[in-house]
Amino acid sequence: MNPNFEIKDKTIIYNILDKAEYGTLALCVENKPYAVPLNFVRVDDDIYFHGALKNKKMKMLEQNPHVSFSVVENYALIDSNFSTTEGLACPATQFYKSVSIDGVAVVENSREVKAEALEAFMQKHQPKGGYKTFTHSDYDKALKATALVKIDVKNLSCKFKFGQHLNEERFNMIVSALLERGTQTDIETVKIMKAQRGAKDGV
């Protein structure tokens, strides 16, 4: 990874994971890859997802528990003419934040662990509350019928691409073009660009 893009601060990384509504899980069995988007939740240093006890991903995990998991938070699309006057298509790009995880999937069978993780799901996606907690016996049957999988994280990396590697002229051209286009995403992108530029320069 280009060191200009790498983020190592776990507080920032966890913020991305906690905001993301879904990620993409990648599996592979007998050289046949399979990627599936799914809801997830972070609990401490682990990632959890849930689903049916028997489906394609669970069958694949039985054969190969090694997985990759990724989350992307998109920001402004950078048109090619935002940073060049030569009419080239090559400078067109996307600014974004991403987290990539390699790990081992572990099926959790404990009612207590399932209840804790599913409670974390609800707090993430329905923070207003308004439901019985998973300690209630009403959930006993549903918990038994639900597969809960933890990704035991072995490697985690985070990337911010916001033009940190560009020279001053191209960087400022993009900032001006984004402000002129002026969408909410463009304005938010400019704020992050300047913050990352400041961090890179030690400001």
Side-chain angles (χ1 to χ4, degrees), residues 35-159:
V36 57
L38 46 75
N39 290 118
F40 73 97
V41 70
R42 178 189 66 84
V43 178
D44 297 325
D45 292 327
D46 299 312
I47 301 295
Y48 288 88
F49 62 90
H50 64 88
L53 290 172
K54 293 292 181 181
N55 55 23
K56 182 173 182 177
K57 67 175 177 284
M58 295 304 295
K59 291 176 182 177
M60 291 183 73
L61 288 174
E62 287 176 4
Q63 298 177 67
N64 182 5
H66 295 276
V67 301
S68 287
F69 185 74
S70 60
V71 169
V72 178
E73 186 177 333
N74 280 335
Y75 283 83
L77 179 66
I78 308 303
D79 292 353
S80 61
N81 62 314
F82 280 15
S83 65
T84 181
T85 58
E86 298 175 3
L88 299 175
C90 304
T93 190
Q94 178 82 48
F95 284 175
Y96 62 88
K97 302 175 181 178
S98 69
V99 177
S100 298
I101 291 169
D102 294 323
V104 177
V106 179
V107 178
E108 299 283 3
N109 294 310
S110 161
R111 188 201 189 285
E112 181 181 358
V113 174
K114 285 185 176 183
E116 179 184 1
L118 293 174
E119 184 67 30
F121 265 100
M122 291 302 294
Q123 291 175 6
K124 177 178 180 179
H125 296 291
Q126 189 176 312
K128 67 179 181 180
Y131 59 89
K132 296 178 182 178
T133 65
F134 285 89
T135 57
H136 202 284
S137 60
D138 284 356
Y139 296 110
D140 287 351
K141 186 176 180 179
L143 288 172
K144 287 181 180 178
T146 301
L148 178 74
V149 181
K150 176 181 77 174
I151 299 178
D152 184 8
V153 177
K154 301 302 182 184
N155 183 58
L156 182 151
S157 61
C158 180
K159 181 177 180 179

Side-chain angles (χ1 to χ4, degrees), residues 23-37:
T24 300
L25 179 72
L27 311 93
C28 189
V29 171
E30 296 179 351
N31 290 323
K32 294 181 180 178
Y34 175 63
V36 57

Side-chain angles (χ1 to χ4, degrees), residues 172-197:
N172 290 333
M173 283 179 68
I174 291 175
V175 168
S176 296
L178 288 174
L179 291 175
E180 182 177 351
R181 189 166 66 186
T183 70
Q184 184 175 349
T185 300
D186 292 334
I187 293 168
E188 183 62 28
T189 298
V190 169
K191 290 179 182 177
I192 299 172
M193 287 177 67
K194 291 182 177 180
Q196 291 301 118
R197 190 74 162 194

